[in-house]
Amino acid sequence: MTDNASFPHTESVHGDREETTDFGYRSVPKAEKKPLVRAVFDSVAGRYDVMNDVMSLGIHRVWKRIFINALAPRRDLKLLDLAGGTGDISFGWLRNNGGPAILTDINASMLEVGRARAASKGYLSDIEFSVVDAEAIPLPDRSVDRVSIAFGLRNCTDKDAVLREARRVLRPGGKFCCLEFSRVQVAALAPVYDAWSFGVLPRMGQIIAKDAESYRYLAESIRTFPEQEVLAQMMRDAGLEKVSYQNLSGGIAAIHSGWKL
């Protein structure tokens, strides 16, 4: 199933047809998804970084290094880090000589963890923190040079709106980059990956974060996310140009890039 699938419509108590969207494998009214996602990350915020290492066996650190290289940090460039959570991308950007960063997330609990980590690393003076819905970015047109979103787009209700907003706030010549779990391209990996995602991860979530259900949702949300070519076309439809993607670890994750020309 991809994000372009037609989800059923439900009848509201007033008899109106209510549009729905995916929340993992569940179909929920669109208005309910953001609170549900917020509850997931409120629950896991304190153990999120530990679970990232567990979920990916530490490989997410390699993926993020490749992603930051794709952003091509420079001191004269400004980064908007969407769904930046606990700060890995903003910190990597600054560590690689990037300019000022705006670290945003719709979830205040995640952002609090990111702020604490920034303080411990000495990055507070270079980062602006803001609770932001990526579907409605409170920045002027043409105000940043790079927009990043890492492992966050699949949790957004209106992914097309996120892509349009990313393009809007980019300056001409600016670049958008998305790092996200994607569709496995190596057939032999698929059964192992499924067993890990749906068998091991919820159990580890229960042991480490005391929350199996949130990690079951996260595994499901990966499977309902648009595959590589579909996301690339969504980016083109949003007005981004020179769109390309790079598969990582056999397609378990992918980096999509596009430019505002």
Side-chain angles (χ1 to χ4, degrees), residues 20 56 138 146 182 225:
T20 60
S56 71
R146 298 286 187 268
S182 198
F225 189 70

Side-chain angles (χ1 to χ4, degrees), residues 78 80 82 102 104 132-148 159-177 234-241 258-261:
K78 186 173 187 177
L80 171 62
L82 296 174
I102 307 172
T104 73
V132 167
D133 182 344
E135 297 171 23
I137 301 169
L139 289 177
D141 297 355
R142 301 181 296 278
S143 55
V144 296
D145 304 287
R146 298 286 187 268
V147 177
S148 66
K159 297 168 183 61
D160 293 313
V162 175
L163 297 174
R164 290 192 300 269
E165 280 289 271
R167 183 189 181 279
R168 180 185 66 79
V169 300
L170 278 172
R171 297 185 177 113
K175 188 179 187 182
F176 168 79
C177 291
M234 290 168 65
M235 290 170 60
R236 295 184 192 104
D237 292 343
L240 292 162
E241 300 181 58
W259 297 82
K260 180 176 182 177
L261 300 178

Side-chain angles (χ1 to χ4, degrees), residues 34-200:
K34 287 178 187 177
L36 287 168
V37 170
R38 186 174 292 113
V40 166
F41 287 95
D42 280 342
S43 173
V44 304
R47 306 296 289 169
Y48 181 77
D49 293 311
V50 173
M51 278 302 297
N52 272 351
D53 282 326
V54 171
M55 285 174 67
S56 71
L57 302 178
I59 297 171
H60 76 101
R61 297 174 181 269
V62 177
W63 296 341
K64 288 172 181 174
R65 284 199 294 270
I66 298 169
F67 183 64
I68 289 159
N69 285 338
L71 288 167
R74 292 200 326 244
R75 288 302 303 168
D76 60 334
L77 300 180
K78 186 173 187 177
L79 171 71
L80 171 62
D81 185 7
L82 296 174
T86 60
D88 279 355
I89 302 307
S90 289
F91 302 158
W93 168 266
L94 293 171
R95 191 166 54 246
N96 285 272
N97 205 37
I102 307 172
L103 174 55
T104 73
D105 201 284
I106 198 171
N107 187 281
S109 299
M110 293 286 285
L111 213 55
E112 287 171 9
V113 176
R115 187 190 296 273
R117 293 183 71 209
S120 71
K121 294 173 182 293
Y123 288 144
L124 282 180
S125 62
D126 298 305
I127 300 178
E128 176 184 343
F129 297 83
S130 184
V131 176
V132 167
D133 182 344
E135 297 171 23
I137 301 169
L139 289 177
D141 297 355
R142 301 181 296 278
S143 55
V144 296
D145 304 287
R146 298 286 187 268
V147 177
S148 66
I149 185 165
F151 304 117
L153 186 57
R154 74 179 187 279
N155 296 309
C156 297
T157 304
D158 189 343
K159 297 168 183 61
D160 293 313
V162 175
L163 297 174
R164 290 192 300 269
E165 280 289 271
R167 183 189 181 279
R168 180 185 66 79
V169 300
L170 278 172
R171 297 185 177 113
K175 188 179 187 182
F176 168 79
C177 291
C178 171
L179 170 61
E180 189 54 88
F181 290 108
S182 198
R183 192 64 52 88
V184 174
Q185 302 296 300
V186 180
L189 281 177
V192 177
Y193 184 45
D194 284 345
W196 179 261
S197 299
F198 295 105
V200 177

